[in-house]
Amino acid sequence: MRISNKAKAFIKKYSHAWVFLYAFIYLPWFNYLEVHIQKNFFVIHSPLDNFIPFIEYFILPYYFWFVFMAICIFYFFFTDKAGFYKITSFLIIGMTAFLIICTVFPNGLNLRPTTFARDNFCIDLVKRLYRLDTPTNVLPSIHVFNTVGILIAASHSEKLKAHKGIMWSVYITGILIILSTVFLKQHSVTDVIAAFAMACIIYPFVYTSQTRKAAKFSHQPI
């Protein structure tokens, strides 16, 4: 009986885990696009791309993105339920918009280098990335959009604001991840701008509107 009560309390405490079911929508849809969009796509390119050098060392923050996202999302999951719902709402809306855009507007890149001037561990990681990840479905950059979402969530967290070192670490990591997308030729500057634009559009619906509602209710007579 005691174990049953603990199980019920655990389920109630972490009932917001249902949000992770979105993976069963996103992953199959994204994999479908990766398989079926191989040609006949619109090539994304910005004149600024020509001035950005390829720097293989940015593969480290690029890959660290996966760890970064997991740590930050689970931080909110375990410590801030309201913050968790906000960040996941932001990410889900953006990732769904990304899937729709890539479905109706197939897009891709022609930026990746075919030869490399150096041969080192980071180059090997880049080659592996290029083999596993097609240069399609790039607009807007989900790497950038999700990173921006984490930075926004962190900036709204009162608990994190109390730890300046952690905040600076989050911001610096986020900036390096965003830069990595263009220095690895994984994304065009256009993809990055589109990701920021989408973040700006979604932000008021998830954060500003909620803040205004909270302020409105706080002034209601009791």
Side-chain angles (χ1 to χ4, degrees), residues 56-175:
E56 71 269 22
Y57 304 110
F58 274 96
I59 192 66
L60 300 178
Y62 187 88
Y63 270 140
F64 187 70
W65 176 80
F66 297 96
V67 177
F68 178 73
M69 292 297 301
I71 291 174
C72 294
I73 288 174
F74 278 106
Y75 168 80
F76 284 101
F77 177 80
F78 288 111
T79 67
D80 184 356
K81 187 174 182 178
F84 173 78
Y85 273 125
K86 286 183 180 180
I87 181 55
T88 52
S89 295
F90 184 92
L91 298 180
I92 288 173
I93 293 171
M95 289 190 290
T96 304
F98 158 77
L99 292 172
I100 293 172
I101 291 170
C102 291
T103 301
V104 301
F105 178 62
N107 56 79
L109 296 174
N110 188 22
L111 293 175
R112 292 178 173 180
T114 55
T115 60
F116 301 94
R118 295 173 294 278
D119 186 15
N120 54 48
F121 175 69
C122 288
I123 289 292
D124 291 338
L125 290 178
V126 172
K127 289 179 179 179
R128 177 178 173 79
L129 173 65
Y130 286 0
R131 286 195 302 268
L132 296 175
D133 187 21
T134 68
T136 57
N137 309 310
V138 295
L139 179 77
S141 168
I142 284 300
H143 239 72
V144 173
F145 174 80
N146 284 2
T147 300
V148 171
I150 292 298
L151 297 183
I152 291 173
S155 70
H156 280 264
S157 172
E158 295 300 327
K159 292 181 180 179
L160 286 178
K161 286 179 182 178
H163 303 280
K164 298 296 183 182
I166 294 177
M167 288 295 291
W168 274 107
S169 297
V170 170
Y171 288 142
I172 292 172
T173 301
I175 292 171

Side-chain angles (χ1 to χ4, degrees), residues 208-220:
T208 305
S209 61
Q210 295 298 321
T211 302
R212 289 174 179 172
K213 286 181 182 179
K216 179 180 179 180
F217 283 119
S218 67
H219 288 85
Q220 294 294 321

Side-chain angles (χ1 to χ4, degrees), residues 172-217:
I172 292 172
T173 301
I175 292 171
L176 288 175
I177 290 171
I178 292 171
L179 291 176
S180 74
T181 63
V182 291
F183 282 112
L184 292 177
K185 301 300 179 180
Q186 276 290 94
H187 284 284
S188 165
V189 171
T190 303
D191 304 330
V192 175
I193 294 174
F196 272 95
M198 188 165 71
C200 290
I201 292 171
I202 297 173
Y203 173 81
F205 295 100
V206 176
Y207 286 95
T208 305
S209 61
Q210 295 298 321
T211 302
R212 289 174 179 172
K213 286 181 182 179
K216 179 180 179 180
F217 283 119

